[in-house]
Amino acid sequence: MTIADRWLLPDGMDEVLPPQALRMESLRRGLMDLYYRWGYDLVMPPPVEFLDSLLTGAGTDLDLQTFKLTDQLTGRLMGASADVTPQVARMDAHSLRRQGPVRLCYCAHVLRARADEHQGGRSPVQAGLELFGHAGIEADIEIVKLALASLSFAGANDVHLAIGHIGIYRALAEEAHLEDDVESLIFEALERKAVSEVDALIEQHISDASLAAMFKQLPRLHGSVEVLERARNIFANGSQAIVDALDQLVALQHVLSTAYDEVTLYFDLAELRGYQYHTGLVFAAYVPGYGQALVKGGRYDDTGRAFGRPRPATGCSMDLKQLATLCQRAPSHDGIWAPMEEDEALSQRIHALRDAGERVVQQLPGQSTDALAHFCDRQLIYRDGAWHIESLAN
């Protein structure tokens, strides 16, 4: 191993340097303040939990993404958090146990065993919000609104919002009484958008002509708003669960089309992302130039059941590192360069400036770098018996 190799970071692990670190921190503060103004309380989950608690109610995907380690005190297996959402669900169900709707937000480092397929990171900074205790579409709409507000605050333009509903596929599968292995085959074909393969499987395993016709249309129902009207006609004889799911999609579409006409809406009724975890409406927000959704969310009712308190729940999450790249600005030169002298008046002036929110950098003895290297655009100059701020551009 060479000296250079010794300091290499593991694949998928990255460090954040200036000025990006400051940009991320400013974004974090702004997002948490935004959520606070909407009534969301901040929580700080631990970075490591016992594995049986951390993975309770979670799907196999999260298990595969979780780093495991042994607790030296108890000998029990622990896991590093790969997704904050289940931890927050535990907090709501077990730690807080509040009555009525509960709004929680967070921002925490997570660690993942596998790199993201598109963006490569294994150490995201996950920010998000969760709304527990309300089963109505109003809660989902609030989460979507805050997802779009988060992107707007981060500087995103030309947002494309993909929307689906897990409940439609689930209702069809339950009504068809499919064997587990058959449902797995249909599910995988739907995920791959293999329409002809879906048709063949349905013809082979579903004898009810009406149900088969509805199932076949599912992978074909994707596109703009007109998809919802087509779905109304196709599922006219569907179960109440399907009718309710379409009602929710229409309600969301109406709100978004009215208040967010700059956002491009895309509906995909065969979107099955997070099927093991999500139970209803799901969404993902995309921005041109990024290979993966910047914000993902949806409904995941009854996650708290494993903790003895099943509750309706909906939420969304995002990677702060990715959001911070939306608005790449050159480092701002907004500091004040000051000498390092034993002067009480100078010390008082610097103290007052820092209290007022100014960034003051003092030149250390023998320092070779100048004010511009430290992003200062002004300097303190002693003139006429007082310390004055002057522009370095003069």
Side-chain angles (χ1 to χ4, degrees):
M1 178 183 292
T2 66
I3 293 177
D5 290 338
R6 186 181 303 168
W7 308 118
L8 287 176
L9 294 172
D11 287 346
M13 302 294 175
D14 55 358
E15 56 195 4
V16 184
L17 303 174
Q20 185 71 355
L22 180 58
R23 187 179 295 119
M24 280 182 58
E25 175 58 16
S26 298
L27 181 58
R28 183 199 66 82
R29 295 176 191 173
L31 289 177
M32 295 305 108
D33 287 345
L34 169 67
Y35 304 154
Y36 176 80
R37 293 193 295 271
W38 280 64
Y40 286 75
D41 294 323
L42 181 66
V43 293
M44 297 181 181
V48 177
E49 292 191 31
F50 288 121
L51 200 63
D52 50 1
S53 170
L54 188 66
L55 297 182
T56 295
T60 55
D61 290 346
L62 186 59
D63 187 11
L64 294 172
Q65 284 282 40
T66 301
F67 274 100
K68 280 89 171 179
L69 60 156
T70 301
D71 183 10
Q72 298 299 307
L73 295 178
T74 65
R76 292 175 62 185
L77 202 58
M78 300 193 302
S81 175
D83 183 1
V84 179
T85 304
Q87 295 180 278
V88 179
R90 175 188 57 76
M91 290 177 169
D92 171 71
H94 180 71
S95 303
L96 291 173
R97 301 190 67 83
R98 294 176 181 174
Q99 298 302 311
V102 173
R103 294 173 169 91
L104 301 176
C105 63
Y106 58 86
C107 186
H109 288 263
V110 296
L111 185 63
R112 293 173 181 165
R114 299 182 178 186
D116 183 274
E117 180 182 356
H118 299 284
Q119 296 167 342
R122 291 199 293 165
S123 58
V125 178
Q126 185 180 346
L129 51 151
E130 317 294 336
L131 202 168
F132 301 96
H134 187 80
I137 187 62
E138 297 82 5
D140 299 277
I141 291 172
E142 179 171 306
I143 292 295
V144 173
K145 284 182 175 180
L146 272 168
L148 293 174
S150 301
L151 287 171
S152 177
F153 181 80
N157 295 304
D158 195 17
V159 175
H160 293 246
L161 190 65
I163 305 167
H165 202 296
I166 296 291
I168 297 175
Y169 168 79
R170 184 164 281 139
L172 289 172
E174 289 175 357
E175 191 174 347
H177 303 292
L178 297 170
E179 297 290 336
D180 289 346
D181 57 339
V182 173
E183 183 179 352
S184 295
L185 289 173
I186 294 175
F187 180 87
E188 291 168 6
L190 282 169
E191 278 198 310
R192 290 185 281 108
K193 308 298 184 188
V195 176
S196 59
E197 190 175 332
V198 171
D199 289 347
L201 287 167
I202 290 169
E203 289 172 4
Q204 182 180 355
H205 297 286
I206 300 178
S207 57
D208 184 308
S210 175
L211 182 59
M214 288 189 287
F215 233 128
K216 285 183 178 181
Q217 289 299 317
L218 199 57
R220 295 173 168 88
L221 288 170
H222 56 86
S224 59
V225 174
E226 55 87 24
V227 165
L228 299 181
E229 188 58 38
R230 284 173 51 207
R232 287 283 201 197
N233 296 328
I234 291 167
F235 298 120
N237 296 320
S239 66
Q240 188 59 46
I242 295 177
V243 173
D244 291 343
L246 288 174
D247 286 344
Q248 292 174 5
L249 289 171
V250 169
L252 176 62
Q253 177 269 318
H254 177 73
V255 170
L256 296 177
S257 295
T258 302
Y260 301 90
D261 59 352
E262 74 281 5
V263 175
T264 301
L265 302 182
Y266 178 85
F267 293 89
D268 185 353
L269 302 196
E271 171 55 62
L272 300 177
R273 174 184 55 82
Y275 179 72
Q276 292 181 321
Y277 180 69
H278 286 296
T279 60
L281 188 144
V282 292
F283 67 91
Y286 298 84
V287 173
Y290 290 81
Q292 195 184 49
L294 291 183
V295 183
K296 293 185 284 189
R299 181 162 287 278
Y300 57 101
D301 293 340
D302 293 343
T303 297
R305 184 180 299 279
F307 303 104
R309 193 171 182 235
R311 297 253 283 170
T314 182
C316 70
S317 64
M318 60 211 80
D319 181 1
L320 202 68
K321 290 180 180 178
Q322 289 296 320
L323 286 189
T325 65
L326 282 168
C327 190
Q328 294 279 21
R329 301 188 185 92
S332 60
H333 290 70
D334 57 359
I336 300 173
W337 190 246
M340 182 76 71
E341 297 180 8
E342 292 186 7
D343 184 307
E344 183 62 26
L346 174 62
S347 297
Q348 291 179 2
R349 184 75 164 115
I350 291 173
H351 184 75
L353 287 169
R354 287 172 174 162
D355 280 351
E358 291 281 5
R359 182 173 189 261
V360 182
V361 181
Q362 287 187 274
Q363 183 179 17
L364 294 168
Q367 183 173 335
S368 60
T369 50
D370 62 8
L372 291 178
H374 295 270
F375 306 109
C376 294
D377 61 346
R378 292 159 293 165
Q379 62 181 339
L380 276 174
I381 295 294
Y382 188 77
R383 188 179 64 252
D384 300 330
W387 288 96
H388 300 274
I389 299 175
E390 291 187 357
S391 172
L392 284 168
N394 293 338

